[in-house]
Amino acid sequence: MYKRIRTTTHTTTRTTTRTTTHTTTHTTTHTTTHTTMHTTTHTAIPLLPLPDDLRTLARVLRNPSAFLLDLCCMAGDIARLRAGPIDLVCINRPDLVTSVLIEHARNLEKMPAVKTLRAFTGDGLLVSDGDTWMRHRKLAAPAFHTQRIAGYQRVVADVVRDALAEWRDGDLLDLEHTFKDLTLRIISRTLFSIELDEVQRGLGDDIDTALIYVNRLAGMSLFPFGAALVPGARNGKAAIVRVDIAIRRLIAARRTDAASHNDLLAMLIDTRTAEGTALSDDEIRDEVVTMFVAGHETVATVLTWLFYRLAREPRAAAALQAEARTAPFASGDAPSLAQLEASPYALNVCREALRLYPGGFTIGRRAVRAFTVGEFEIDAGAWVIVSPFSVQRSTAAFADPLAFIPERFDNDAQRNWPRGAYIPFGLGPRTCIGGQFALMETHTVVAALARALQFTDETVGDAQVRPMIALSPDRTITMRVRRLHKKNRGSE
């Protein structure tokens, strides 16, 4: 039971004066005063305990993403943490989530800890606000139109087909590394229409190093001069420089390329606003880096967790294999967009993995003015955190929420869930622009792999999430490849 302790009273006074003059030379004045009382009562937001030991403080500095995620998971419907000048509010209840991300989107901006990502991505869509964000969003939106995604799907299928040709029966794979390599190939083909050479493939490692650096920077930015004390700063900054050089070279090469291209980079270069403005090279660089982060790192992590859970969920794995046996494409091939319609269970597997391990696991905002959400008041300056990870693991919409149950998405069941209960790509005007691309990419990979092979889990111990920029596992996820013999495949 929440305590109601904040009461605001508004008093309005209206005075009416009427004067009457009688012929007997005396005047009578009648004055009437009307007073109206408006009383608003807000519910006090429950307080989370303040960390009171050095070990916890060190953990905050080392990995602020993990600390914020822990707070969100402890918050219940809503809770706040006060620490000096910081007022942090975690929200999990679906109706409150909807109110914050849709109705009050104009009352919020990216919070300072999120903006430290600017050291790597610049003013890309992940961190920009206001007019800059609106302009970039409008310019980038055509690149993710449904018809464009259909074209990208053919590229994804080609890359997946090539990867399947490389994996041999009995291969032992570091799954996260394998999927990062796969998604890097996909993003390079869809962004630039090129195959990355060995030098450029170092982009993947540099992106990882840069993301670790900016995650630590977010924690240290809470303190004066904290940025100068970030561990690994030299390596992180050097990685950012190498990524910057590589991306700018690719943009410059495209500027001088007379050939026609149908990729994301061409869209970013060629598109114009209604006023005729285009993106500068700096702006294109920022959006390309943003797409590498969102389309490479997060999708690879989701795929890693998806196949890890499948390997430990025999019922779901069997259902996926049963569907794959009747798929209208050959083992070792990858489906077309039309053929994906024959793999609805594979799509549900993807949706369930995104429920349990969303790519963007926290959404951080700062209130630029006070506002009311439900029965609670959010103060100006408060940091507001919505975590799709904790929201989607609650009992508000999901029975047995920690279980991996793809069937919960059968028959458009999510239409009956409260709005704000399932938000793997966010909600409202800042919904992830590449969400449908990511879902298509994941669906294509899962359907193709289920048709061609099975993974046997050889991971040591039980993996737990280790939040950084994405929900990385805390250990190497190791899988043994078992190729499925063609003569046992139904449609061949």
Side-chain angles (χ1 to χ4, degrees):
M1 182 70 68
Y2 301 130
K3 272 180 72 176
R4 296 184 179 275
I5 63 170
R6 178 176 294 188
T7 302
T8 307
T9 302
H10 307 277
T11 303
T12 304
T13 302
R14 177 167 55 90
T15 302
T16 303
T17 302
R18 179 167 54 90
T19 303
T20 305
T21 302
H22 304 276
T23 56
T24 53
T25 70
H26 68 272
T27 300
T28 304
T29 300
H30 306 276
T31 301
T32 306
T33 300
H34 305 275
T35 301
T36 306
M37 305 283 288
H38 303 281
T39 301
T40 303
T41 302
H42 294 107
T43 300
I45 300 175
L47 290 174
L48 289 167
L50 188 66
D52 59 358
D53 61 90
L54 292 177
R55 181 177 298 178
T56 303
L57 179 60
R59 183 166 176 264
V60 174
L61 300 179
R62 185 174 61 252
N63 191 346
S65 295
F67 177 70
L68 288 177
L69 190 62
D70 286 348
L71 289 180
C72 290
C73 291
M74 293 189 297
D77 288 346
I78 184 171
R80 85 186 324 149
L81 176 75
R82 291 188 182 275
I86 296 173
D87 178 17
L88 191 150
V89 180
C90 301
I91 298 176
N92 290 316
R93 203 173 80 193
D95 64 308
L96 302 181
V97 168
T98 301
S99 180
V100 164
L101 297 181
I102 296 179
E103 297 166 21
H104 294 289
R106 292 180 180 273
N107 294 325
L108 300 163
E109 65 179 10
K110 290 284 187 176
M111 73 181 199
V114 174
K115 289 184 176 181
T116 57
L117 191 59
R118 183 176 284 132
F120 181 31
T121 65
D123 277 324
L125 287 171
L126 282 177
V127 298
S128 58
D129 275 312
D131 292 342
T132 298
W133 173 81
M134 183 64 71
R135 178 170 174 267
H136 286 207
R137 177 91 179 193
K138 286 181 178 179
L139 287 171
F144 295 95
H145 189 276
T146 301
Q147 292 178 336
R148 289 277 176 178
I149 290 177
Y152 303 147
Q153 195 276 336
R154 291 189 289 273
V155 176
V156 174
D158 288 343
V159 175
V160 173
R161 188 182 302 111
D162 292 344
L164 282 171
E166 297 171 5
W167 299 346
R168 304 301 179 195
D169 190 61
D171 281 354
L172 192 63
L173 304 180
D174 172 341
L175 211 58
E176 186 178 21
H177 177 81
T178 298
F179 283 133
K180 282 184 177 181
D181 181 72
L182 178 67
T183 56
L184 186 62
R185 293 190 201 181
I186 289 171
I187 203 68
S188 66
R189 289 273 296 275
T190 53
L191 264 175
F192 303 115
S193 301
I194 63 170
E195 292 286 354
L196 295 182
D197 60 28
E198 286 305 312
V199 174
Q200 291 166 327
R201 281 177 186 269
L203 271 176
D205 292 336
D206 283 336
I207 289 171
D208 287 346
T209 301
L211 290 175
I212 291 170
Y213 164 65
V214 295
N215 186 60
R216 291 171 175 168
L217 183 63
M220 297 300 291
S221 66
L222 301 176
F223 303 92
F225 311 110
L229 304 175
V230 176
R234 178 178 295 180
N235 289 339
K237 291 177 180 179
I240 290 172
V241 169
R242 287 192 295 272
V243 171
D244 184 70
I245 291 171
I247 297 300
R248 289 182 184 278
R249 282 176 177 168
L250 290 168
I251 295 170
R254 178 59 60 84
R255 292 283 195 192
T256 60
D257 188 350
S260 175
H261 295 277
N262 187 31
D263 54 27
L264 284 168
L265 182 58
M267 288 292 298
L268 291 172
I269 290 175
D270 296 338
T271 192
R272 300 290 186 274
T273 65
E275 295 76 24
T277 60
L279 292 173
S280 68
D281 278 4
D282 286 343
E283 290 173 314
I284 292 172
R285 175 266 178 209
D286 293 348
E287 296 307 339
V288 168
V289 173
T290 295
M291 290 176 189
F292 261 109
V293 172
H296 158 57
E297 188 82 14
T298 58
V299 174
T301 303
V302 171
L303 284 168
T304 300
W305 283 114
L306 184 155
F307 282 100
Y308 174 75
R309 290 300 295 264
L310 271 180
R312 298 189 173 208
E313 302 282 349
R315 181 199 52 76
L320 180 62
Q321 288 295 323
E323 176 181 87
R325 280 193 291 272
T326 62
F329 56 93
S331 177
D333 199 357
S336 66
L337 194 62
Q339 290 170 335
L340 277 178
E341 295 180 6
S343 301
Y345 192 81
L347 180 59
N348 286 350
V349 167
C350 297
R351 289 170 170 161
E352 180 70 342
L354 284 163
R355 183 185 71 83
L356 289 168
Y357 307 97
F361 58 92
T362 55
I363 301 169
R365 302 285 187 265
R366 176 185 173 274
V368 297
R369 60 186 65 87
F371 62 92
T372 299
V373 52
E375 63 270 36
F376 306 100
E377 186 175 32
I378 307 296
D379 297 329
W383 295 4
V384 181
I385 310 292
V386 173
S387 169
F389 180 88
S390 57
V391 169
Q392 296 173 175
R393 289 174 172 236
S394 77
T395 56
F398 308 109
D400 199 6
L402 301 184
F404 189 85
I405 307 174
E407 289 81 3
R408 65 173 93 241
F409 289 88
D410 285 348
N411 303 316
D412 288 328
Q414 62 195 93
R415 292 179 180 270
N416 299 319
W417 300 340
R419 192 177 189 187
Y422 183 69
I423 52 170
F425 301 115
L427 188 65
R430 298 202 66 142
T431 299
C432 175
I433 195 172
Q436 290 307 306
F437 180 97
L439 186 59
M440 172 276 293
E441 179 182 359
T442 308
H443 189 191
T444 301
V445 172
V446 172
L449 267 59
R451 187 78 172 95
L453 55 82
Q454 287 180 328
F455 286 128
T456 301
D457 184 20
E458 296 192 14
T459 305
V460 177
D462 296 323
Q464 305 296 326
V465 296
R466 181 175 61 88
M468 296 295 285
I469 299 299
L471 287 170
S472 299
D474 65 351
R475 66 198 63 218
T476 301
I477 305 297
T478 306
M479 295 284 169
R480 182 80 63 182
V481 174
R482 184 170 75 85
R483 301 295 300 226
L484 299 172
H485 200 279
K486 287 186 177 183
K487 70 179 182 181
N488 293 328
R489 311 306 290 181
S491 64
E492 295 179 13

